[in-house]
Amino acid sequence: MGSRLQTATAFPAGFRLVGRSRELEVLVTALRQPPTVVLVEGEAGIGKSRLVREAASLLTDRLVLTGYCHPLREPHPFGPVIDALREAGRALPPRGVLPPSTGALAPLLPDLASRLPPPPTQPDDPGLARQQLIRAVRAFLSELGPVVLLVEDLHWVDDATRDLLLLLHRDMPGQLALALTYRADDLPSGMPPLGTAMRQSPGAGIVRLGLAPLSEDEVGGLAQEVLGTGADANLVRVLYQRCEGVPLVAEEDLRILVEHGCRHRSGELAGLLARAEVPASLREAVTERLRELAEPAAAIAAAAAVIGAPTSETVLTAVAGLPAEQGGEGLAEALDAALLQEVCDHRYAYRHVLAQQAAYEHLSGPRRERLHRRAVEVFRAQSPQPLVQIAHHLRVLGEREEWLRQGEAAAEQAVSVGDDGTAAALLQQLLETPELDIGSRSRLALALARVFADGVDSKASAAALRGLLADPQLAVATRGDIRLTLGLLMINNDADVTGFMELERAVPELDELPERAARAMIALAFDEHGEAAARRWTWLDRADELLREGPYPVMRAAVRATRLTLLARDADPGVWPLLDQVPRHCDDREELRHNARALYNVGELALELGHDARGAVLLEQGRILGARSAAPRHECYSRAALLRLDLLTGDWHGLEERFAQLAQEFPDVVMVQEEQAHAGARLAAARGEYGPALGWLEIATAIGLHGNQATTACRAAAATALLQLAQDTPEAAWTTCSTAVDTLRRANAWPRATGLVPAAVEAALACGEERYAVRLFDEAQAALTGRDAPGAAAELHFARGLLTDHQDSAARAEQFGLAARAWHRIGRPYETARSVERKGRALAAETPDAAGTAMNEAADVFERLGATADAGRCRRTLRELGLARPTSRGRPSYGSTLSPRERQVAELLARGTTNREIAQALVLSPRTVEQHVAQVLRKLGVTRNKVKAALTKTG
């Protein structure tokens, strides 16, 4: 401390941390066990910052990066996090080691640019540019080794930074720990610290620390540390009553007592405190110190109180109206008096917001106004101008027209640099201005809606958009535009089909905006739910008519993409030649994105129809165009569909890891989650892991309930029913299928093979509902007449085989054989093998040799794929029929090496599978499984819970 406070009672360099030993231990332990998030919550002055700083001083084995949120700051993407990353220089690897994606941070981290890769091309779309930065931040943090990212005062965080922290929380680098401090009372009511989309992240822990007020004994310990024997029981009681356990208030009182300690005895000190009004204790502490300052220091303190944000000495001096030399002396005295502190990088502010508020309220009204006006003059003289701060001071001064003009300019600046959080806060403040004219209100509301549309927390964004729509003063066209944004957000981000209702309401409101009205109509053409499916061509034709006369090349490309999509949905063979007319090169980036969407949509539908080879080409073209048009989501969709194609074509090696990597890159894309769930279910079921498979299908089913495509729910239902049939619960399987069949029927989506028709036929037959099964088959067959849908045709052959009389084994086997040949032509080995297996079962009674050939063929394919449960089922059937292949004399000796069967058992053990589940998956007796497990553990020399590590080590 400065010499001014060195009185007869020596004042310590800093207060000892009191009453927080348990919290400190929990915090340090959690931060040493990444990935984890620690939320430190407490009221103003309760000691959150002190606690995390104390923890940081103990974490000498890892890098601690600290960023601060402020209520006033200039536009800067992810400001608090970027400020923290500036401290990472000493931990960065040499240039050439960091991933290329981190180059996007080079313009924001000029001091580290020489260590970063070259910046990639920045997308024109601000939302896409922000996603690029988010990926760069995550990649940057991943390369730092053990690191703690500490963000203080999260209650002041901007929306963009909150989105970044939310995404980091959902998909945390393995060695990252997040520590976030905040005041819950200053969050919106009921809002979690990272927004409504905050949820438990798989593999990452969450620790919540709520800091309670100190007890009277703990306050006494703090007082004794400072005052020694002067802190008697009477003084401690008064001190505790005044601070109510808030450490900051107690410390301020103790500072005053130290200053008076040379002149007062203990009883007089207690009286000194008792005479102050208890609720105003901190205010009294601050104002007393302000009164003791010399004039230059008082002027600097007043300027800092009015500015309200960390500021340089030059700006403080100018706003205070002092010569440079007096400004420096005044700042030094204010620092010595512990009123101000250096926050970072030669910028100064009050030590705490409560102190700043007390100092601000200490100023007279006229003096405040003069200082605000001087601040505006000083900031306007800077280049570039700090528009946010200028707007703030104009707002306080009540300069309505200037505030509106400057505030809107500041919001536009924030959007231009990708700081949507600051833009949203400014636009919301502007909209709160009384008596705003309808033109300004509509313009500002529309700008705010576009900011919300790019938010990560889609539910919070939707709520905010609904709030804008509740404003009765908006222009009709503006209301329609915002409603269109809301509907698209609900459908695309949350797979919420009620968004179509918003789109339909938006159409008449957008009568004056033909492009936007057409956008709504195009989206409505995709609705397959209920009666809406019958109106899809009507909507598309209306959009086409609306755009025919105007200069709307981008929207006409959107109509073309939608028309091709609907033709493919209907399995219309005319779609294929029309695809050749879609330009693969285009100067307009938006038009190119719609062309990418056309290729992707038809490519994905090609997989549903059974045109896998065509689908592969189209999806790859869509992926390339998505990358070329800087549309990462389109590229992501194509990559997910190509992984689905790998599943269908039998390229299963490492498929789960590839899906996990894509989900890590795009954690909020529902389509990736859907395809990952279907792949996880298929692979788990093929291994006989029915519990995990059903878990994956629960995820897929939940997505299907809200998806805008009927086949999403149908695929999940078909896969679930097959698992239920395998577990001998046909009634459950029929219940699952019957609801989905109604969905398929209403959408008239029969051509898109989902596996539902054969699954529903099998479930109905197992429940004795033969008439239902026959009726369903006839309906599907009639609906497929004239349709170009090889996958659905193969499924019909399979279903007809199920329906054929068991006595006519040749006819039954023929249908399964036709299904197998159809799937083989399409290129799907798993479906081919399932059909061949059924053919073998049909032939078993009358032509056992042919049956044995078919069953062995199917078992070989299943084993090659890794479908151990399916292969085991085939081998068991062969044994039961006496058709098993003869084995060579004697068993091969594997010594200490795992045999192929032991390797299968070990891999299942590594996934946490029980002995009973292993027996089910490999079609073995429980006793045999016990013997295999014992051999695996003996050969690997590990216990059951360490099999996974042993397998990884041995490869």
Side-chain angles (χ1 to χ4, degrees):
M1 305 304 295
S3 59
R4 192 179 67 84
L5 295 181
Q6 300 307 311
T7 58
T9 305
F11 194 78
F15 290 97
R16 181 171 61 89
L17 186 67
V18 171
R20 303 291 188 219
S21 56
R22 184 193 68 82
E23 290 88 346
L24 181 62
E25 181 182 358
V26 169
L27 178 57
V28 171
T29 300
L31 295 178
R32 283 197 170 125
Q33 296 177 347
T36 190
V37 179
V38 184
L39 304 171
V40 183
E41 174 190 322
E43 62 181 289
I46 204 68
K48 304 181 294 296
S49 296
R50 174 62 193 280
L51 179 69
V52 294
R53 283 199 300 271
E54 194 79 17
S57 70
L58 299 174
L59 294 170
T60 54
D61 56 339
R62 61 202 58 230
L63 182 65
V64 179
L65 306 176
T66 305
Y68 301 89
C69 303
H70 300 293
L72 284 176
R73 65 173 184 83
E74 288 309 298
H76 188 51
F78 314 130
V81 174
I82 297 299
D83 288 345
L85 297 187
R86 291 193 177 99
E87 306 171 22
R90 66 183 184 278
L92 282 181
R95 186 165 189 169
V97 177
L98 287 171
S101 61
T102 60
L105 295 172
L108 301 178
L109 301 172
D111 292 343
L112 303 181
S114 62
R115 309 274 291 281
L116 296 171
T121 302
Q122 184 175 354
D124 294 335
D125 185 324
L128 298 177
R130 187 173 65 168
Q131 292 298 321
Q132 184 184 69
L133 279 177
I134 287 174
R135 289 193 290 273
V137 169
R138 188 191 182 283
F140 186 95
L141 288 169
S142 298
E143 296 296 321
L144 297 179
V147 59
V148 175
L149 176 59
L150 166 60
V151 179
E152 289 256 47
D153 296 323
L154 197 69
H155 46 278
W156 283 325
V157 72
D158 62 277
D159 291 343
T161 303
R162 181 187 290 112
D163 286 352
L164 168 62
L165 294 172
L166 176 63
L167 288 177
L168 283 176
H169 160 63
R170 289 183 183 174
D171 180 27
M172 295 192 69
Q175 298 190 79
L176 173 66
L178 277 178
L180 310 172
T181 72
Y182 62 97
R183 303 200 301 252
D185 290 345
D186 287 339
L187 295 174
S189 179
M191 177 78 75
L194 291 181
T196 56
M198 185 177 179
R199 60 176 182 265
Q200 179 71 48
S201 176
I206 294 184
V207 176
R208 291 177 170 84
L209 282 176
L211 299 190
L214 300 179
S215 67
E216 184 170 345
D217 287 344
E218 289 165 341
V219 171
L222 188 63
Q224 288 166 7
E225 181 78 14
V226 176
L227 301 174
T229 57
D232 63 11
N234 184 40
L235 174 65
V236 169
R237 188 178 310 111
V238 173
L239 184 64
Y240 178 70
Q241 289 171 349
R242 283 171 53 80
C243 74
E244 296 180 338
V246 176
L248 177 71
V249 179
E251 290 173 5
E252 293 298 338
D253 276 348
L254 285 169
R255 290 179 192 276
I256 290 178
L257 293 178
V258 167
E259 295 171 7
H260 290 79
C262 60
R263 299 190 297 273
H264 298 277
R265 291 186 296 274
S266 173
E268 293 172 328
L269 292 173
L272 174 71
L273 292 180
R275 285 192 294 273
E277 188 179 351
V278 173
S281 57
L282 178 61
R283 183 181 297 108
E284 290 292 331
V286 172
T287 55
E288 178 170 346
R289 304 168 96 172
L290 288 169
R291 291 189 196 103
E292 295 184 4
L293 295 177
E295 181 53 38
I300 290 291
V306 167
I307 292 171
T311 314
S312 69
E313 177 183 332
T314 303
V315 171
L316 283 170
T317 300
V319 173
L322 297 172
E325 185 177 348
Q326 288 187 22
E329 292 173 355
L331 176 59
E333 185 178 350
L335 291 168
D336 283 345
L339 282 165
L340 302 185
Q341 65 176 355
E342 184 177 3
V343 177
C344 60
D345 194 23
H346 304 294
R347 292 182 176 272
Y348 307 92
Y350 276 83
R351 293 191 312 107
H352 195 277
V353 64
L354 293 178
Q356 184 262 331
Q357 291 171 356
Y360 185 81
E361 292 168 5
H362 178 65
L363 297 170
S364 65
R367 190 176 183 196
R368 282 187 215 161
E369 182 175 346
R370 285 196 301 273
L371 287 169
H372 279 297
R373 291 194 184 280
R374 197 176 295 149
V376 172
E377 294 172 6
V378 171
F379 288 137
R380 277 182 168 162
Q382 294 182 355
S383 181
Q385 293 183 351
L387 299 181
V388 172
Q389 296 199 60
I390 294 172
H392 163 73
H393 293 292
L394 290 170
R395 185 184 186 213
V396 173
L397 289 167
E399 302 282 355
R400 183 177 179 279
E401 296 305 320
E402 274 291 285
W403 141 242
L404 289 173
R405 186 183 65 79
Q406 198 75 44
E408 190 167 358
E412 290 174 0
Q413 181 194 57
V415 170
S416 71
V417 300
D419 189 351
D420 287 353
T422 297
L426 282 164
L427 291 167
Q428 286 171 319
Q429 288 178 355
L430 290 164
L431 284 167
E432 292 168 1
T433 304
E435 301 177 3
L436 200 62
D437 66 86
I438 189 169
S440 297
R441 182 173 296 279
S442 297
R443 185 178 66 255
L444 294 169
L446 195 56
L448 183 56
R450 287 170 182 157
V451 170
F452 286 142
D454 288 326
V456 168
D457 189 344
S458 55
K459 287 185 170 53
S461 294
L465 290 169
R466 291 189 186 96
L468 290 176
L469 289 171
D471 186 346
Q473 300 180 56
L474 292 180
V476 173
T478 301
R479 189 181 307 282
D481 210 334
I482 294 172
R483 199 182 304 281
L484 169 61
T485 302
L486 171 62
L488 293 175
L489 182 75
M490 295 168 67
I491 295 163
N492 295 333
N493 287 45
D494 294 328
D496 184 349
V497 294
T498 60
F500 288 113
M501 297 170 61
E502 296 292 347
L503 295 179
E504 198 157 354
R505 291 178 64 189
V507 169
E509 295 174 331
L510 292 167
D511 189 52
E512 299 175 7
L513 301 171
E515 277 194 285
R516 300 298 282 167
R519 180 69 186 88
M521 294 172 186
I522 289 168
L524 285 163
F526 281 96
D527 188 4
E528 286 193 304
H529 293 80
E531 298 176 0
R535 293 186 289 158
R536 59 188 185 275
W537 287 108
T538 302
W539 283 119
L540 189 61
D541 290 341
R542 282 183 63 183
D544 200 8
E545 181 67 27
L546 196 61
L547 300 169
R548 190 162 295 164
E549 302 301 325
Y552 307 122
V554 172
M555 289 310 299
R556 280 200 291 272
V559 170
R560 177 179 57 208
T562 305
R563 189 173 298 281
L564 291 170
T565 301
L566 296 186
L567 288 171
R569 278 187 176 183
D570 289 344
D572 188 326
V575 70
W576 307 115
L578 291 176
L579 277 171
D580 297 334
Q581 301 174 21
V582 176
R584 269 59 169 182
H585 299 277
C586 182
D587 292 334
D588 188 291
R589 186 171 287 182
E590 282 299 316
E591 191 173 343
L592 193 62
R593 285 175 186 165
H594 287 299
N595 296 341
R597 181 169 67 87
L599 297 174
Y600 160 73
N601 283 352
V602 179
E604 184 196 28
L605 288 164
L607 302 189
E608 292 194 340
L609 296 172
H611 290 291
D612 290 8
R614 277 175 167 163
V617 173
L618 291 169
L619 289 170
E620 182 60 24
Q621 290 177 346
R623 186 193 66 77
I624 293 170
L625 260 64
R628 193 181 300 158
S629 63
R633 291 222 168 196
H634 286 166
E635 184 185 2
C636 164
Y637 297 155
S638 295
R639 287 171 59 190
L642 286 167
L643 288 179
R644 176 185 178 185
L645 183 61
D646 288 345
L647 176 72
L648 298 175
T649 58
D651 183 8
W652 291 5
H653 181 70
L655 185 58
E656 289 162 302
E657 290 75 18
R658 281 177 274 154
F659 262 117
Q661 175 61 36
L662 187 61
Q664 187 179 81
E665 289 183 51
F666 299 91
D668 293 290
V669 177
V670 174
M671 186 257 194
V672 174
Q673 299 168 16
E674 176 193 346
E675 293 301 339
Q676 183 183 28
H678 279 292
R682 164 64 67 87
L683 297 174
R687 295 190 294 256
E689 301 167 7
Y690 295 152
L694 285 170
W696 280 116
L697 287 172
E698 286 176 6
I699 296 172
T701 300
I703 294 172
L705 290 174
H706 301 289
N708 61 1
Q709 291 194 51
T711 50
T712 303
C714 296
R715 282 175 67 197
T720 302
L722 290 179
L723 277 178
Q724 291 166 333
L725 287 168
Q727 293 177 308
D728 200 24
T729 55
E731 293 82 4
W734 190 36
T735 300
T736 298
C737 287
S738 58
T739 302
V741 166
D742 290 340
T743 300
L744 189 71
R745 184 180 289 121
R746 284 193 299 270
N748 194 25
W750 302 101
R752 284 129 69 190
T754 62
L756 183 59
V757 169
V761 165
E762 186 169 6
L765 291 174
C767 294
E769 297 289 341
E770 185 175 348
R771 291 178 60 186
Y772 175 91
V774 171
R775 198 163 56 247
L776 173 61
F777 174 85
D778 290 342
E779 186 178 2
Q781 186 177 46
L784 289 171
T785 302
R787 305 291 185 95
D788 184 15
E795 290 184 352
L796 280 182
H797 284 304
F798 195 98
R800 187 187 287 277
L802 294 171
L803 287 166
T804 302
D805 194 322
H806 281 267
Q807 301 302 316
D808 193 349
S809 59
R812 191 176 176 88
E814 181 185 10
Q815 291 300 318
F816 288 126
L818 289 171
R821 287 194 289 276
W823 285 123
H824 181 71
R825 284 193 299 272
I826 292 169
R828 301 189 188 179
Y830 185 77
E831 278 74 11
T832 301
R834 284 188 68 237
S835 301
V836 170
E837 179 191 0
R838 290 297 185 123
K839 175 183 176 181
R841 289 176 182 274
L843 295 171
E846 297 187 9
T847 52
D849 288 342
T853 299
M855 296 293 285
N856 277 306
E857 179 186 336
D860 288 344
V861 173
F862 286 139
E863 286 176 348
R864 188 166 64 250
L865 290 172
T868 50
D870 297 287
R873 184 180 60 248
C874 289
R875 300 296 185 204
R876 181 181 63 184
T877 302
L878 286 166
R879 290 193 299 271
E880 290 171 350
L881 296 173
L883 299 173
R885 290 171 178 162
T887 58
S888 58
R889 187 169 300 178
R891 265 187 203 184
S893 173
Y894 292 95
S896 60
T897 305
L898 296 178
S899 71
R901 177 64 84 188
E902 288 165 351
R903 165 68 62 170
Q904 290 177 330
V905 171
E907 288 172 351
L908 289 168
L909 283 172
R911 298 188 188 101
T913 312
T914 66
N915 282 13
R916 189 176 71 82
E917 291 168 337
I918 294 173
Q920 187 180 46
L922 300 180
V923 198
L924 299 171
S925 71
R927 177 61 181 159
T928 301
V929 170
E930 288 176 8
Q931 293 170 349
H932 283 311
V933 168
Q935 285 287 81
V936 166
L937 300 182
R938 182 183 64 78
K939 289 183 178 182
L940 293 178
V942 296
T943 57
R944 192 182 186 106
N945 62 352
K946 294 185 178 178
V947 169
K948 183 176 181 179
L951 285 180
T952 303
K953 186 175 180 180
T954 60

